[in-house]
Amino acid sequence: MNVFYEESGSFKVGSIVSKSDASFQVDTQHGKRAKIKAANVILEFASPLDAFLTEADALSAGIDLDFLWECCGGDEFAYEDLAREYWGHAPSAVEAAAIVQCLSGAPMYFYKKGRGRFKAAPEEALKAALAGLERKKREQEQVTLWAAELAAGRLPEAVGGRLMELLFRPDKNSLEYKAFDQACKQSGLPPLRLADKVGGIRSVPDYLLAGFLMEHFPKGTGFHVSEPAQAIVADELPLADVRAFSIDDAATTEIDDALSLRTLANGNVRVGIHIAAPTLGIAPDSELERIVYSRLSTVYFPGDKITMLPDEVVQAYTLREGQDCPALSLYVEVTPDFEPVGFENRIERVPIAANLRHAELEKQFNEETLINDPGVDYPFKQELTWLWHFANALEKRRGKYDPTRVQPLDYNFAVVDGKVQITPRKRGAPMDKLVSELMILANSEWGRMLGEAGIPGLYRAQTMGKVRMTTRPEPHIGLGVAQYAWSTSPLRRASDFVNQRQLVAMIRGEKPAFEQNDAMLFAILRDFDAAYSAYLGFQDRMEYFWCLRWFNQEGIADVTATYIKEDLVRVDGVPMRLRVGGLPEMPTGTHIRLAIARIDELMQEIECRYLGQVEGAATDTPADEE
């Protein structure tokens, strides 16, 4: 005797060697002996094994599923009964097996209820299943058609509309992804290369921006604000008796800080550090505050920026020339020896006499004019000169003053009609040092005041070489201060916005928005730290691309660079670091020459070859790599 049985989802036959209630020993048609469960045996038969499955398959293929389904009725049935009714006589083993194969192979039509028992699917369920099957067939045809177009170098409209999503955040169940993935496999191209081949990458910076926005601004960069910032009635705040001025580049619209100077009767000088105060008009838990804690920072990149706050809010609180602006002021009393001897906080209106801009100011206020003083007059010359001397004293006070230190360059990017302009600026120029030292002073002192008042804030700390954020005052070794709480850019950074809210509460004697160990404050710290790092990373990627574009645009074939360590160098004249294989050992700061072998703007790749050291060039240690 032989058996027809099911194993691992397929039907097989074998010759019975022995059997028990629970199992059979059989010789398969391929000559192997196997042990099978009795529960898997569907029928026993005496006809030869060789042609059994072939004949059953042929009969099964000829059975009309719709007719078979109509024969079943609505009740559960045994396959033997259906086989007898379908064939019109007691079925042979082959005919019975054909019915079993047909029933088992059509799960949309027939539900399996047990060994040899089935039930016809309800009519509505069957119609839905068949419609789904037809839909999948049509979808696969569409996928195949799109994939063929992509492989041929054409971009289907439907795929093009979701191309950035496919490259950065694909839905692997979508038809567009399946077609794109199939085309990549057929063409042997990685996704980005295929997208470029079919014309989907018209602009590399637009492609980079699209990926960044998709990850960090999935709802777009626009603001949808139904409630404006609360208006501040001018008379509510006292008017400061100062003429303040700001120092920023021409593109700055979020003017957070301004300075003032006044000589006191005792011969000391009172320095005013005035910070824009949006927290005075943005209510706690308001829609605008939620925007601050959602965006967390302004995003900067060559040619554009994405502001943290809506433009109308920025314009309401920026320290604009000719206006009396709400501000949080830190007044520092300084002796003639440039020693700070007293600090005072005020919430007030500050008259902004001027918004000084880098491009014009640096022509008149620079190291050359400060040392030689050609007698040329310019706005706020006396105040700027005094503040520069004070800034040098503050730098010495922090233990960071070193006139011999090699200062790396800063770079300004401008993109005009697709052409990039990279303009170097010496870091540590008088106007830069002046502003940075006074902001370090304000951030350090305000951080100290919050700590002494027992009010938490958002601090930057550096110990053991690692910079991190904390809610309690800790030393920042790199800056040489006992604590450092970002507080001077509340229009641009959520950390500064939070600290300003805490400072205002401290000054007014009110309950702060965040108490010690506040879970919300820790959440803001975590989110801000992650977002700020991501935004800086995006800025670096965009600058890296525009450096590559500049090399191609200017036809530059070789460059000089400064060796940092191992295979890492810093290219001279642009803000770019590279890894160059095959570099010999040399002292840090050695100047070398590199040949540009290949640039791939799309993949943001550059390959350079070492040509040798620059003859006659002295080695130096870059300040930012020490």
Side-chain angles (χ1 to χ4, degrees):
M1 289 292 290
N2 303 316
V3 289
F4 174 67
Y5 63 96
E6 186 176 9
E7 185 178 70
S8 300
S10 60
F11 293 103
K12 300 180 181 179
V13 292
S15 177
I16 298 174
V17 176
S18 63
K19 68 177 180 178
S20 65
D21 292 341
S23 63
F24 285 67
Q25 288 278 351
V26 301
D27 287 336
T28 69
Q29 63 183 130
H30 303 296
K32 293 184 179 180
R33 181 155 297 184
K35 181 179 181 180
I36 61 175
K37 294 179 180 179
N40 292 342
V41 173
I42 297 171
L43 62 87
E44 298 182 27
F45 61 93
S47 53
L49 287 180
D50 294 343
F52 187 88
L53 287 178
T54 303
E55 293 176 5
D57 289 341
L59 284 175
S60 178
I63 295 175
D64 185 332
L65 277 175
D66 292 313
F67 175 71
L68 191 65
W69 177 81
E70 291 175 0
C71 295
C72 295
D75 298 328
E76 184 180 318
F77 60 88
Y79 79 89
E80 299 98 323
D81 298 333
L82 180 61
R84 185 179 299 106
E85 182 176 351
Y86 181 82
W87 297 112
H89 56 263
S92 66
V94 171
E95 290 173 333
I99 291 293
V100 171
Q101 287 180 317
C102 192
L103 293 170
S104 299
M108 290 187 297
Y109 284 83
F110 308 103
Y111 301 153
K112 194 171 184 179
K113 307 301 288 184
R115 186 175 69 168
R117 298 192 65 80
F118 299 86
K119 184 176 181 180
E123 183 176 1
E124 291 303 317
L126 177 59
K127 287 181 178 179
L130 291 174
L133 183 65
E134 182 62 27
R135 184 185 67 255
K136 288 182 179 179
K137 181 181 177 182
R138 291 195 306 270
E139 288 176 349
Q140 185 55 50
E141 290 174 352
Q142 183 65 77
V143 166
T144 302
L145 179 62
W146 284 341
E149 286 192 67
L150 288 164
R154 298 186 300 273
L155 181 61
E157 183 178 350
V159 178
R162 301 184 65 179
L163 189 59
M164 292 302 110
E165 179 185 332
L166 296 175
L167 292 172
F168 290 105
R169 189 174 287 181
D171 174 5
K172 295 188 177 182
N173 292 318
S174 69
L175 302 185
E176 292 84 357
Y177 172 80
K178 292 176 181 178
F180 196 73
D181 183 59
Q182 185 174 316
C184 287
K185 293 174 181 176
Q186 290 174 355
S187 63
L189 295 173
L192 185 54
R193 290 289 190 199
L194 177 62
D196 184 52
K197 176 186 174 183
V198 300
I201 308 296
R202 294 184 175 86
S203 163
V204 177
D206 287 349
Y207 153 75
L208 295 173
L209 178 60
F212 173 76
L213 295 179
M214 192 167 294
E215 180 176 359
H216 296 282
F217 294 86
K219 297 180 180 179
T221 59
F223 295 94
H224 306 284
V225 184
S226 58
E227 54 185 46
Q230 295 175 356
I232 295 179
V233 179
D235 294 339
E236 291 180 358
L237 298 175
L239 181 65
D241 184 18
V242 300
R243 291 179 69 250
F245 58 90
S246 66
I247 303 174
D248 295 281
D249 65 55
T252 299
T253 56
E254 302 153 292
I255 303 175
D256 288 290
D257 56 87
L259 305 170
S260 68
L261 222 62
R262 179 171 289 278
T263 302
L264 302 177
N266 61 3
N268 291 344
V269 172
R270 188 185 69 184
V271 178
I273 304 172
H274 312 286
I275 305 302
T279 60
L280 298 179
I282 298 178
D285 200 32
S286 64
E287 189 176 19
L288 283 171
E289 186 184 68
R290 288 192 289 273
I291 287 175
V292 171
Y293 297 155
S294 171
R295 295 215 171 189
L296 297 163
S297 174
T298 290
V299 183
Y300 296 95
F301 54 97
D304 206 351
K305 65 180 178 180
I306 303 168
T307 59
M308 181 178 75
L309 285 165
D311 185 62
E312 58 269 23
V313 178
V314 170
Q315 293 307 311
Y317 293 98
T318 189
L319 303 182
R320 188 189 303 175
E321 178 178 312
Q323 293 190 351
D324 300 338
C325 302
L328 174 58
S329 298
L330 174 65
Y331 287 99
V332 187
E333 185 174 346
V334 183
T335 69
D337 295 329
F338 300 110
E339 184 68 25
V341 293
F343 298 91
E344 180 186 0
N345 294 309
R346 294 182 189 174
I347 300 170
E348 58 189 359
R349 288 177 294 135
V350 175
I352 306 299
N355 294 143
L356 305 180
R357 300 299 183 175
H358 288 168
E360 293 302 317
L361 180 60
E362 194 165 25
K363 296 175 184 177
Q364 303 162 323
F365 178 61
N366 54 58
E367 289 181 342
E368 177 66 24
T369 59
L370 283 166
I371 294 172
N372 297 324
D373 190 9
V376 177
D377 197 18
Y378 51 88
F380 299 95
K381 177 180 178 179
Q382 183 177 349
E383 291 89 340
L384 289 166
T385 302
W386 190 94
L387 286 170
W388 179 70
H389 289 295
F390 181 44
N392 284 318
L394 290 173
E395 191 176 33
K396 292 174 183 177
R397 191 165 172 253
R398 294 190 295 114
K400 298 299 177 179
Y401 182 76
D402 182 4
T404 65
R405 183 175 182 173
V406 178
Q407 292 285 0
L409 296 174
D410 284 328
Y411 297 89
N412 293 331
F413 283 78
V415 182
V416 181
D417 297 329
K419 294 195 69 174
V420 61
Q421 300 170 1
I422 304 176
T423 307
R425 286 186 65 248
K426 184 178 178 181
R427 189 181 298 179
M431 62 181 179
D432 294 333
K433 177 183 287 192
L434 183 158
V435 173
S436 64
E437 286 298 330
L438 289 171
M439 295 309 112
I440 291 172
L441 177 64
N443 288 325
S444 176
E445 289 301 321
W446 272 334
R448 175 186 61 80
M449 294 174 190
L450 286 175
E452 291 176 353
I455 297 174
L458 297 181
Y459 293 83
R460 299 282 285 184
Q462 184 187 35
T463 53
M464 304 298 290
K466 184 177 181 181
V467 178
R468 58 190 174 82
M469 295 197 70
T470 173
T471 61
R472 298 176 184 272
E474 294 183 27
H476 195 300
I477 303 302
L479 292 175
V481 294
Q483 64 282 314
Y484 188 75
W486 262 345
S487 310
T488 54
S489 293
L491 292 173
R492 295 185 276 188
R493 289 191 300 241
S495 58
D496 304 56
F497 184 92
V498 167
N499 287 336
Q500 186 176 94
R501 217 187 257 306
Q502 299 290 84
L503 286 165
V504 168
M506 177 192 75
I507 294 167
R508 289 176 168 173
E510 300 172 349
K511 180 180 178 181
F514 302 101
E515 302 283 0
Q516 293 287 358
N517 300 317
D518 190 299
M520 179 64 177
L521 184 63
F522 283 111
I524 294 172
L525 181 150
R526 179 198 63 221
D527 293 345
F528 171 78
D529 201 23
Y532 196 69
S533 296
Y535 296 174
L536 286 178
F538 172 65
Q539 181 178 353
D540 288 344
R541 287 195 299 276
M542 293 295 281
E543 290 184 355
Y544 191 90
F545 164 78
W546 285 114
C547 288
L548 296 179
R549 173 63 58 85
W550 186 76
F551 288 144
N552 282 330
Q553 170 187 297
E554 302 298 319
I556 295 174
D558 61 83
V559 295
T560 59
T562 302
Y563 177 77
I564 299 174
K565 61 180 180 179
E566 298 173 351
D567 61 349
L568 185 64
V569 302
R570 187 183 62 200
V571 180
D572 298 335
V574 292
M576 173 184 278
R577 298 185 189 190
L578 298 176
R579 295 199 177 274
V580 181
L583 289 180
E585 291 186 11
M586 64 187 83
T588 296
T590 300
H591 292 280
I592 62 175
R593 185 170 295 279
L594 302 171
I596 298 177
R598 182 182 70 89
I599 291 177
D600 188 330
E601 292 184 7
L602 178 66
M603 304 303 291
Q604 288 198 280
E605 296 173 350
I606 180 172
E607 291 181 8
C608 292
R609 186 175 70 256
Y610 175 66
L611 295 178
Q613 295 187 15
V614 178
E615 294 184 9
T619 60
D620 58 70
T621 302
D624 59 341
E625 267 93 43
E626 281 187 338

